[in-house]
Structure formats: structure tokens, C-alpha cells
Amino acid sequence: MTAAVPLVRTCSIWRALEVVGDTPVLLIAEALWQGARRFTGIARTTGLPRAVVAQRLQRLEAHGLVRRLPEGPEGGCTGYRFARKGVETYPLALMALRWERLWGAPAAGGPQLVHRGCGQAILPLPACSACHGPLDARDVDFRPGPGLGWMPATYSRRRSPVAAQPAGGQLAGAAARILGDRWAMLVLRSLFTGTSRFGGIRAETGMATNVLSDRLAALVARGLIAPAGPKTPGSRYRLTEAGFDFYPVVLALMDWGDRWYAADDGPPVILTHRPCGHDMRLSVLCPACGAPLAPDATLLRA
Ligand SMILES: [Zn+2]
Ligand SMILES: [Zn+2]
């Protein structure tokens, strides 16, 4: 007998995670943002086994995020670059980098992010698209959008799981490991939308009990969540400061998902910024000059 597949809320985050909710994919994207183009350079920067790099590049190409560069005079693939869909993950990369700088492992004199427009070393600022005020997860209300629906909780299987943690990912390694774990991201999605009980999260995500317990423990260990009260069958969890600060990463993912995967009738969720009262999306700004950070607006300086 096969168990009925549970229904879960549709959400752009879910769909986006099918593509980018994978640590090797995120490490490859980070390498591309750092200017790696050739296969060997990408493999070296990410520290991933070559077979994993090849398989993930193939997947990124199939999903339209990455394009092969034209063949060189001697034939063969000369490298890879982002297609438009990949370029639009830029806010996600900036928000992951920001979180890493604030909450990840302290980088030993890592490179500085510089805004080309004003030349200042910056930490990108997540802001409300309507009022450009700084964004705090606790200031955002949400309501169902026209594209909200229910879908079966089926998950595509990963063809080559990565058992060992790759050595790469120097810029946003810890953030990439959280973002790359779809289960952990779905737990965070529940907490950000006010579901804090074990049973509620399980119902929303369709996760098996043991998988959910495991991810909750992992998020506690990473410092993003903490138990709220005694450990009982109805255990509750709350976001920590590091957890609340992961919200812009989730929003960047949702925004990208809305852009590329939302249903024709519109986004599944609409956000309102309480301080200004307007519907909003995530804007990423330069904190020094206030300009929006368009793709390629920044460079890394050693
Ligand atoms: Zn606002
Ligand atoms: Zn600037």
C-alpha cells in the first residue's frame, strides 16, 4: 500500500528550492560570481569533486541558469556563464554573503565587497522596495496572494548526494549550507510565517518526523532557532537574532521564485511592510550611497 502524499501550501520558495536548494549548486554559483568560468576553475574554487561539478553544471544548464560559452578554436567547452535567470540570483548571493559576514564563521581577512558606484566597502542592505527603509523580519506582514494553492509534497531525489562537506564556499559557506538544505529552509519558512509547533511544521511541510527532528536539531546547532519551552510532543521553536536575520535570504529566494516559477495568476504570498503600510518586495541597497545594487554592481577586493 502506498501512503497518500500530503498536500502542502504552494510557494515560490518551494519551487525555487527544487533548483537552488542544493549546496553544490550554490557553491558553483558563488564561484561564477567570483569570475570563475572554466570547469577546472569552478572545481578548484568550490572544492567539489569533478563529477559533482559536471552533474550540477548540467542541471543548471537544463534549468536555464547557466550557459556554455561558445567553443574555442580547438573545439570543446571553453567555460560557463550565467544566463539571465542565473544573473537574477544576484540579490540572493548578496543576502547570503551578508548573513555570512554577520553570523557565519568569522572569515580570516576575507575579501571586501565594494560597491562599484561609490567605491565604498559595504555590507549590502536589505530594504523595503516601497519606502527603502531597512528590513526586519518582524516588520513584515503577509497574506495569501492570487497564486496560492495546494500541491502534493513530492520531492525530486538528488542523484548524487554530497556526503562530505566541500572545502570551498569561502564567501558564504555556512549560508550556502543552510540554503542548500531544502528541509531546513522549509522549517524556516514555517517559522517565518508563524508556525512554531513541531506538529504544525510537519503538517505544513509534509516532512517525516525523524527528518524534521533532525533539521530542527541542525538549525538549533547552527544558532538560527531555539526551543521555546520544554521538549514535549508539542514542542515549540522560535527564531533567534541570527534566524531573523536569515529572512532577507528567504525573501531573495522567494522573489526569484516568484519571478521564474509563480503561477500565471500571480504570487502565492504578498508581503506588507508595516512601518510604511505598503506592499513590498525585497530591495537590496548600498548602505553607503543608497543606490539599488543591480547585478554586477559589486566587486570583491582582497
Ligand atoms: Zn516600507
Ligand atoms: Zn554605494
Side-chain angles (χ1 to χ4, degrees):
M1 205 183 96
T2 49
V5 178
L7 288 178
V8 295
R9 273 183 302 151
T10 54
C11 142
S12 305
I13 293 173
W14 188 292
R15 297 199 182 94
L17 284 172
E18 278 290 299
V19 185
V20 297
D22 176 65
T23 304
V25 158
L26 292 160
L27 295 179
I28 289 170
E30 187 183 288
L32 290 170
W33 284 120
Q34 287 179 78
R37 289 288 172 266
R38 289 175 173 279
F39 184 90
T40 44
I42 295 169
R44 194 176 47 243
T45 309
T46 58
L48 293 166
R50 294 173 70 88
V52 174
V53 175
Q55 196 260 335
R56 295 312 200 280
L57 278 169
Q58 216 171 49
R59 194 161 96 203
L60 284 166
E61 209 184 338
H63 282 284
L65 276 80
V66 158
R67 254 203 310 263
R68 276 166 196 265
L69 294 173
E71 290 189 357
E74 283 130 52
C77 177
T78 55
Y80 299 84
R81 58 170 296 174
F82 277 127
R84 187 181 162 78
K85 189 173 174 184
V87 169
E88 289 193 1
T89 62
Y90 185 66
L92 181 62
L94 290 182
M95 290 299 92
L97 185 74
R98 171 184 178 271
W99 189 88
E100 190 79 16
R101 287 286 151 90
L102 292 173
W103 302 101
Q112 282 187 317
L113 193 70
V114 174
H115 181 213
R116 289 179 202 270
C118 68
Q120 299 293 312
I122 60 160
L123 199 60
L125 178 74
C128 161
S129 61
C131 71
H132 286 188
L135 197 66
D136 185 302
R138 286 154 284 202
D139 288 340
V140 179
D141 288 326
F142 47 89
R143 66 179 189 276
L148 186 75
W150 294 81
M151 60 188 258
T154 52
Y155 298 90
S156 65
R157 291 189 183 279
R158 298 281 181 242
R159 269 161 294 179
S160 42
V162 180
Q165 292 284 348
Q170 301 308 320
L171 294 177
R177 279 171 190 98
I178 298 162
L179 194 49
D181 180 347
R182 284 181 302 172
W183 298 115
M185 288 297 289
L186 292 172
V187 171
L188 290 175
R189 180 189 75 162
S190 287
L191 285 162
F192 280 123
T193 52
T195 304
S196 60
R197 283 186 190 281
F198 188 95
I201 300 171
R202 196 166 60 82
E204 267 186 2
T205 58
M207 287 164 75
T209 307
N210 61 329
V211 177
L212 176 54
S213 297
D214 182 60
R215 290 325 197 273
L216 286 165
L219 286 167
V220 170
R222 288 192 187 277
L224 277 86
I225 67 172
K231 196 166 165 30
T232 61
S235 285
R236 282 177 59 236
Y237 291 83
R238 61 175 180 81
L239 292 154
T240 61
E241 281 306 310
F244 278 119
D245 232 359
F246 205 75
Y247 192 57
V249 180
V250 176
L251 277 195
L253 184 71
M254 184 170 118
D255 214 50
W256 183 80
D258 280 350
R259 213 176 283 276
W260 291 96
Y261 295 103
D264 290 342
D265 30 6
V269 178
I270 295 173
L271 307 171
T272 307
H273 191 220
R274 216 175 300 125
C276 74
H278 288 98
D279 288 351
M280 59 150 289
R281 309 184 77 94
L282 172 71
S283 275
V284 180
L285 307 177
C286 168
C289 70
L293 296 179
D296 284 337
T298 51
L299 53 89
L300 289 164
R301 194 164 58 194

Short mmCIF file of all heavy atoms in Angstrom, two decimals, residues 136-177:
data_model
loop_
_atom_site.label_atom_id
_atom_site.label_comp_id
_atom_site.label_asym_id
_atom_site.label_seq_id
_atom_site.Cartn_x
_atom_site.Cartn_y
_atom_site.Cartn_z
N ASP A 136 13.29 44.36 8.54
CA ASP A 136 13.37 43.46 9.68
C ASP A 136 12.21 42.48 9.55
O ASP A 136 11.08 42.89 9.28
CB ASP A 136 13.24 44.28 10.98
CG ASP A 136 13.44 43.40 12.22
OD1 ASP A 136 12.68 42.42 12.39
OD2 ASP A 136 14.34 43.70 13.02
N ALA A 137 12.52 41.20 9.73
CA ALA A 137 11.51 40.17 9.55
C ALA A 137 10.27 40.43 10.41
O ALA A 137 9.16 40.11 10.01
CB ALA A 137 12.10 38.81 9.91
N ARG A 138 10.48 41.07 11.57
CA ARG A 138 9.36 41.29 12.49
C ARG A 138 8.44 42.42 12.03
O ARG A 138 7.39 42.65 12.63
CB ARG A 138 9.90 41.55 13.89
CG ARG A 138 10.42 40.27 14.54
CD ARG A 138 11.47 40.50 15.58
NE ARG A 138 12.77 40.81 14.97
CZ ARG A 138 13.94 40.65 15.59
NH1 ARG A 138 13.99 40.18 16.80
NH2 ARG A 138 15.07 40.95 14.97
N ASP A 139 8.84 43.15 10.99
CA ASP A 139 8.03 44.27 10.49
C ASP A 139 7.24 43.90 9.24
O ASP A 139 6.68 44.78 8.59
CB ASP A 139 8.95 45.45 10.11
CG ASP A 139 9.52 46.12 11.34
OD1 ASP A 139 8.95 45.95 12.43
OD2 ASP A 139 10.56 46.80 11.20
N VAL A 140 7.25 42.62 8.87
CA VAL A 140 6.61 42.24 7.61
C VAL A 140 5.38 41.38 7.87
O VAL A 140 5.44 40.39 8.59
CB VAL A 140 7.61 41.47 6.71
CG1 VAL A 140 6.94 41.06 5.41
CG2 VAL A 140 8.84 42.34 6.43
N ASP A 141 4.24 41.81 7.32
CA ASP A 141 3.02 41.00 7.37
C ASP A 141 2.86 40.31 6.01
O ASP A 141 3.37 40.80 5.00
CB ASP A 141 1.80 41.90 7.60
CG ASP A 141 1.77 42.43 9.03
OD1 ASP A 141 2.21 41.71 9.94
OD2 ASP A 141 1.33 43.58 9.22
N PHE A 142 2.16 39.22 6.02
CA PHE A 142 1.97 38.50 4.76
C PHE A 142 0.53 38.04 4.66
O PHE A 142 -0.15 37.82 5.66
CB PHE A 142 2.92 37.32 4.67
CG PHE A 142 2.94 36.50 5.94
CD1 PHE A 142 2.06 35.46 6.10
CD2 PHE A 142 3.82 36.82 6.97
CE1 PHE A 142 2.05 34.73 7.27
CE2 PHE A 142 3.81 36.09 8.16
CZ PHE A 142 2.92 35.04 8.31
N ARG A 143 0.06 37.96 3.44
CA ARG A 143 -1.30 37.45 3.21
C ARG A 143 -1.27 36.60 1.94
O ARG A 143 -0.38 36.76 1.11
CB ARG A 143 -2.28 38.61 3.09
CG ARG A 143 -2.07 39.49 1.88
CD ARG A 143 -3.12 40.62 1.82
NE ARG A 143 -3.05 41.34 0.58
CZ ARG A 143 -2.21 42.35 0.32
NH1 ARG A 143 -1.34 42.74 1.24
NH2 ARG A 143 -2.23 42.95 -0.85
N PRO A 144 -2.27 35.71 1.81
CA PRO A 144 -2.28 34.87 0.61
C PRO A 144 -2.41 35.72 -0.65
O PRO A 144 -3.18 36.68 -0.68
CB PRO A 144 -3.53 34.00 0.80
CG PRO A 144 -3.89 34.10 2.24
CD PRO A 144 -3.38 35.43 2.71
N GLY A 145 -1.67 35.39 -1.66
CA GLY A 145 -1.76 36.08 -2.94
C GLY A 145 -2.63 35.26 -3.90
O GLY A 145 -3.09 34.17 -3.56
N PRO A 146 -2.86 35.78 -5.11
CA PRO A 146 -3.73 35.10 -6.07
C PRO A 146 -3.21 33.73 -6.49
O PRO A 146 -3.99 32.87 -6.89
CB PRO A 146 -3.76 36.05 -7.27
CG PRO A 146 -2.58 36.96 -7.10
CD PRO A 146 -2.32 37.05 -5.62
N GLY A 147 -1.92 33.53 -6.37
CA GLY A 147 -1.35 32.26 -6.84
C GLY A 147 -1.28 31.19 -5.76
O GLY A 147 -0.68 30.14 -5.97
N LEU A 148 -1.91 31.45 -4.60
CA LEU A 148 -1.82 30.47 -3.52
C LEU A 148 -2.66 29.24 -3.83
O LEU A 148 -3.78 29.34 -4.29
CB LEU A 148 -2.26 31.06 -2.19
CG LEU A 148 -2.05 30.13 -0.99
CD1 LEU A 148 -0.57 30.08 -0.61
CD2 LEU A 148 -2.88 30.55 0.20
N GLY A 149 -2.11 28.09 -3.56
CA GLY A 149 -2.86 26.86 -3.76
C GLY A 149 -2.22 25.75 -2.95
O GLY A 149 -1.39 26.00 -2.10
N TRP A 150 -2.65 24.56 -3.23
CA TRP A 150 -2.10 23.40 -2.53
C TRP A 150 -1.49 22.46 -3.54
O TRP A 150 -1.97 22.36 -4.66
CB TRP A 150 -3.19 22.70 -1.71
CG TRP A 150 -3.68 23.57 -0.61
CD1 TRP A 150 -4.60 24.57 -0.71
CD2 TRP A 150 -3.26 23.55 0.75
NE1 TRP A 150 -4.78 25.17 0.51
CE2 TRP A 150 -3.98 24.55 1.43
CE3 TRP A 150 -2.35 22.77 1.48
CZ2 TRP A 150 -3.80 24.81 2.79
CZ3 TRP A 150 -2.19 23.02 2.83
CH2 TRP A 150 -2.91 24.03 3.47
N MET A 151 -0.45 21.80 -3.13
CA MET A 151 0.20 20.86 -4.04
C MET A 151 0.68 19.65 -3.26
O MET A 151 0.88 19.71 -2.06
CB MET A 151 1.36 21.54 -4.73
CG MET A 151 2.43 22.06 -3.76
SD MET A 151 3.66 23.04 -4.59
CE MET A 151 4.97 21.84 -4.68
N PRO A 152 0.84 18.51 -3.97
CA PRO A 152 1.36 17.33 -3.27
C PRO A 152 2.82 17.54 -2.87
O PRO A 152 3.58 18.13 -3.64
CB PRO A 152 1.24 16.20 -4.30
CG PRO A 152 0.67 16.79 -5.53
CD PRO A 152 0.62 18.28 -5.39
N ALA A 153 3.15 17.09 -1.67
CA ALA A 153 4.52 17.26 -1.18
C ALA A 153 5.42 16.18 -1.74
O ALA A 153 5.74 15.21 -1.06
CB ALA A 153 4.54 17.23 0.33
N THR A 154 5.78 16.31 -2.99
CA THR A 154 6.72 15.35 -3.55
C THR A 154 8.06 16.05 -3.73
O THR A 154 8.11 17.25 -4.01
CB THR A 154 6.25 14.82 -4.92
OG1 THR A 154 5.96 15.96 -5.75
CG2 THR A 154 5.00 13.97 -4.78
N TYR A 155 9.10 15.32 -3.57
CA TYR A 155 10.43 15.90 -3.66
C TYR A 155 11.23 15.13 -4.71
O TYR A 155 11.22 13.91 -4.72
CB TYR A 155 11.16 15.78 -2.32
CG TYR A 155 10.47 16.54 -1.23
CD1 TYR A 155 9.51 15.94 -0.43
CD2 TYR A 155 10.79 17.87 -1.00
CE1 TYR A 155 8.89 16.65 0.57
CE2 TYR A 155 10.16 18.58 -0.01
CZ TYR A 155 9.21 17.97 0.79
OH TYR A 155 8.60 18.66 1.77
N SER A 156 11.90 15.87 -5.56
CA SER A 156 12.78 15.19 -6.50
C SER A 156 13.98 14.67 -5.72
O SER A 156 14.42 15.28 -4.76
CB SER A 156 13.24 16.17 -7.58
OG SER A 156 14.03 17.18 -7.01
N ARG A 157 14.46 13.55 -6.14
CA ARG A 157 15.61 12.98 -5.43
C ARG A 157 16.89 13.56 -5.99
O ARG A 157 16.99 13.86 -7.17
CB ARG A 157 15.62 11.46 -5.60
CG ARG A 157 14.49 10.84 -4.84
CD ARG A 157 14.61 9.33 -4.83
NE ARG A 157 13.47 8.76 -4.14
CZ ARG A 157 13.35 8.68 -2.83
NH1 ARG A 157 14.32 9.12 -2.06
NH2 ARG A 157 12.28 8.17 -2.26
N ARG A 158 17.85 13.71 -5.13
CA ARG A 158 19.16 14.16 -5.57
C ARG A 158 19.92 12.96 -6.11
O ARG A 158 19.98 11.93 -5.46
CB ARG A 158 19.93 14.76 -4.38
CG ARG A 158 19.22 15.97 -3.81
CD ARG A 158 19.51 17.17 -4.67
NE ARG A 158 18.87 18.36 -4.13
CZ ARG A 158 17.94 19.05 -4.79
NH1 ARG A 158 17.54 18.67 -5.98
NH2 ARG A 158 17.43 20.14 -4.27
N ARG A 159 20.48 13.14 -7.31
CA ARG A 159 21.15 11.99 -7.90
C ARG A 159 22.50 11.68 -7.26
O ARG A 159 22.89 10.57 -7.14
CB ARG A 159 21.32 12.19 -9.41
CG ARG A 159 20.13 11.62 -10.17
CD ARG A 159 20.06 12.19 -11.54
NE ARG A 159 19.78 13.62 -11.50
CZ ARG A 159 19.67 14.38 -12.57
NH1 ARG A 159 19.87 13.89 -13.75
NH2 ARG A 159 19.38 15.65 -12.45
N SER A 160 23.21 12.72 -6.87
CA SER A 160 24.49 12.42 -6.21
C SER A 160 24.61 13.25 -4.95
O SER A 160 25.11 14.37 -4.97
CB SER A 160 25.66 12.69 -7.15
OG SER A 160 25.46 13.88 -7.86
N PRO A 161 24.14 12.71 -3.85
CA PRO A 161 24.24 13.45 -2.60
C PRO A 161 25.71 13.65 -2.23
O PRO A 161 26.55 12.83 -2.54
CB PRO A 161 23.55 12.54 -1.59
CG PRO A 161 23.51 11.20 -2.21
CD PRO A 161 23.57 11.38 -3.69
N VAL A 162 25.99 14.77 -1.63
CA VAL A 162 27.36 15.05 -1.23
C VAL A 162 27.50 14.70 0.25
O VAL A 162 26.93 15.35 1.10
CB VAL A 162 27.70 16.53 -1.45
CG1 VAL A 162 29.14 16.80 -1.02
CG2 VAL A 162 27.53 16.87 -2.91
N ALA A 163 28.22 13.63 0.51
CA ALA A 163 28.38 13.19 1.89
C ALA A 163 29.33 14.13 2.63
O ALA A 163 29.03 14.64 3.70
CB ALA A 163 28.90 11.77 1.92
N ALA A 164 30.48 14.37 2.02
CA ALA A 164 31.48 15.20 2.70
C ALA A 164 31.19 16.67 2.44
O ALA A 164 30.65 17.03 1.41
CB ALA A 164 32.85 14.84 2.18
N GLN A 165 31.51 17.50 3.39
CA GLN A 165 31.37 18.94 3.20
C GLN A 165 32.51 19.41 2.30
O GLN A 165 33.67 19.18 2.61
CB GLN A 165 31.45 19.66 4.56
CG GLN A 165 30.27 19.38 5.46
CD GLN A 165 29.02 20.13 5.04
OE1 GLN A 165 29.07 21.03 4.21
NE2 GLN A 165 27.90 19.75 5.60
N PRO A 166 32.20 20.07 1.19
CA PRO A 166 33.27 20.55 0.34
C PRO A 166 34.08 21.65 1.04
O PRO A 166 33.58 22.31 1.95
CB PRO A 166 32.55 21.10 -0.88
CG PRO A 166 31.15 21.35 -0.42
CD PRO A 166 30.87 20.40 0.69
N ALA A 167 35.31 21.79 0.59
CA ALA A 167 36.21 22.75 1.23
C ALA A 167 35.90 24.18 0.79
O ALA A 167 36.28 25.13 1.46
CB ALA A 167 37.65 22.40 0.89
N GLY A 168 35.23 24.34 -0.37
CA GLY A 168 35.02 25.67 -0.94
C GLY A 168 33.96 26.46 -0.22
O GLY A 168 33.57 26.14 0.90
N GLY A 169 33.46 27.48 -0.90
CA GLY A 169 32.41 28.29 -0.29
C GLY A 169 32.96 29.21 0.77
O GLY A 169 32.42 29.30 1.87
N GLN A 170 34.05 29.88 0.47
CA GLN A 170 34.68 30.76 1.45
C GLN A 170 33.86 32.01 1.73
O GLN A 170 33.93 32.58 2.80
CB GLN A 170 36.08 31.17 0.98
CG GLN A 170 37.01 30.00 0.72
CD GLN A 170 37.08 29.04 1.91
OE1 GLN A 170 37.11 29.47 3.05
NE2 GLN A 170 37.06 27.75 1.64
N LEU A 171 33.07 32.45 0.75
CA LEU A 171 32.36 33.71 0.91
C LEU A 171 31.06 33.56 1.68
O LEU A 171 30.72 34.38 2.51
CB LEU A 171 32.06 34.32 -0.47
CG LEU A 171 33.29 34.73 -1.26
CD1 LEU A 171 32.89 35.24 -2.62
CD2 LEU A 171 34.07 35.80 -0.50
N ALA A 172 30.33 32.51 1.39
CA ALA A 172 29.04 32.33 2.05
C ALA A 172 28.80 30.86 2.33
O ALA A 172 27.73 30.33 2.09
CB ALA A 172 27.93 32.92 1.19
N GLY A 173 29.81 30.20 2.84
CA GLY A 173 29.76 28.75 3.04
C GLY A 173 28.64 28.30 3.96
O GLY A 173 27.88 27.40 3.62
N ALA A 174 28.55 28.91 5.15
CA ALA A 174 27.53 28.47 6.11
C ALA A 174 26.14 28.78 5.58
O ALA A 174 25.23 27.96 5.68
CB ALA A 174 27.76 29.13 7.47
N ALA A 175 25.98 29.95 4.99
CA ALA A 175 24.68 30.33 4.42
C ALA A 175 24.30 29.36 3.31
O ALA A 175 23.14 28.94 3.19
CB ALA A 175 24.72 31.76 3.89
N ALA A 176 25.28 28.98 2.49
CA ALA A 176 25.01 28.06 1.38
C ALA A 176 24.60 26.69 1.91
O ALA A 176 23.82 25.99 1.29
CB ALA A 176 26.23 27.93 0.48
N ARG A 177 25.15 26.33 3.06
CA ARG A 177 24.80 25.01 3.62
C ARG A 177 23.38 25.01 4.19
O ARG A 177 22.71 23.98 4.16
CB ARG A 177 25.84 24.57 4.64
CG ARG A 177 27.03 23.99 3.92
CD ARG A 177 28.24 23.70 4.76
NE ARG A 177 29.33 23.38 3.85
CZ ARG A 177 30.28 24.23 3.46
NH1 ARG A 177 30.30 25.45 3.94
NH2 ARG A 177 31.19 23.88 2.59
#
